[in-house]
Amino acid sequence: AAVVPGWPGALPCWPAVVVVAPRWWQGDRELMTADQDAPFRQADAWIADNVPREARLLVDDALWVDLVERGHPPGQVVWFYKLDTDQDVKGRYPRGWREFDYVVATATMRDFPEHLPQVAEALRHSEVAASFGSGTGRVEVRKVEGSPVSSPG
């Protein structure tokens, strides 16, 4: 009989393959068939139709470029992470979250509140104006309490 090098060492791996492969296949299938970007596009379109250009927005970096390309001034659209970590941004917005009119909340933003206190306060002191998607893919456009920019509608 022929001996296949490494074959006896591969036997313990088969249970893992049997357990992991179906989950991997399902996850891959969802990523390939679901439109993960739809809530971002919907939020972007809603902002274009409802949020004044002079509004200050705290956003996920996935939306920053789109909003700037639509005409929002780059200095008024801020990647949320920078509000707590970037000294230049802190200097430009010394009152932190109170300087913003809208927060565009995504799963990424909602996952780090204990590490980003300004972002956590912005979320705590805002109300949902529009929401797109569901579960972890949900994107919320939130109006910050006390914002100087008027509400849509």
Side-chain angles (χ1 to χ4, degrees), residues 10-30:
L11 287 177
C13 296
W14 282 107
V17 169
V18 170
V19 170
V20 172
R23 290 183 185 172
W24 172 81
W25 180 83
Q26 179 63 29
D28 189 52
R29 182 173 167 259
E30 288 174 14

Side-chain angles (χ1 to χ4, degrees), residues 19-140:
V19 170
V20 172
R23 290 183 185 172
W24 172 81
W25 180 83
Q26 179 63 29
D28 189 52
R29 182 173 167 259
E30 288 174 14
L31 288 173
M32 297 302 286
T33 58
D35 185 357
Q36 304 291 327
D37 291 332
F40 285 93
R41 287 193 310 275
Q42 293 165 333
D44 184 35
W46 190 89
I47 291 167
D49 292 341
N50 296 282
V51 175
R53 295 268 188 254
E54 68 272 10
R56 291 180 177 174
L57 298 113
L58 195 58
V59 303
D60 189 299
D61 63 330
L63 279 171
W64 190 90
V65 171
D66 295 327
L67 293 171
V68 170
E69 285 179 350
R70 282 191 184 264
H72 288 273
Q76 294 196 197
V77 180
V78 175
W79 176 30
F80 74 89
Y81 186 78
K82 290 187 171 214
L83 186 59
D84 280 294
T85 62
D86 186 306
Q87 292 304 316
D88 289 338
V89 172
K90 287 180 179 183
R92 199 170 354 154
Y93 300 107
R95 294 178 50 236
W97 66 269
R98 292 173 187 84
E99 305 259 0
F100 290 86
D101 304 300
Y102 289 88
V103 178
V104 182
T106 62
T108 304
M109 184 184 289
R110 291 186 293 267
D111 285 347
F112 295 107
E114 67 277 1
H115 301 294
L116 303 170
Q118 287 295 317
V119 173
E121 289 301 308
L123 291 172
R124 191 175 356 267
H125 294 283
S126 62
E127 293 183 6
V128 176
S131 183
F132 308 95
S134 61
T136 58
R138 186 178 77 252
V139 176
E140 299 172 341

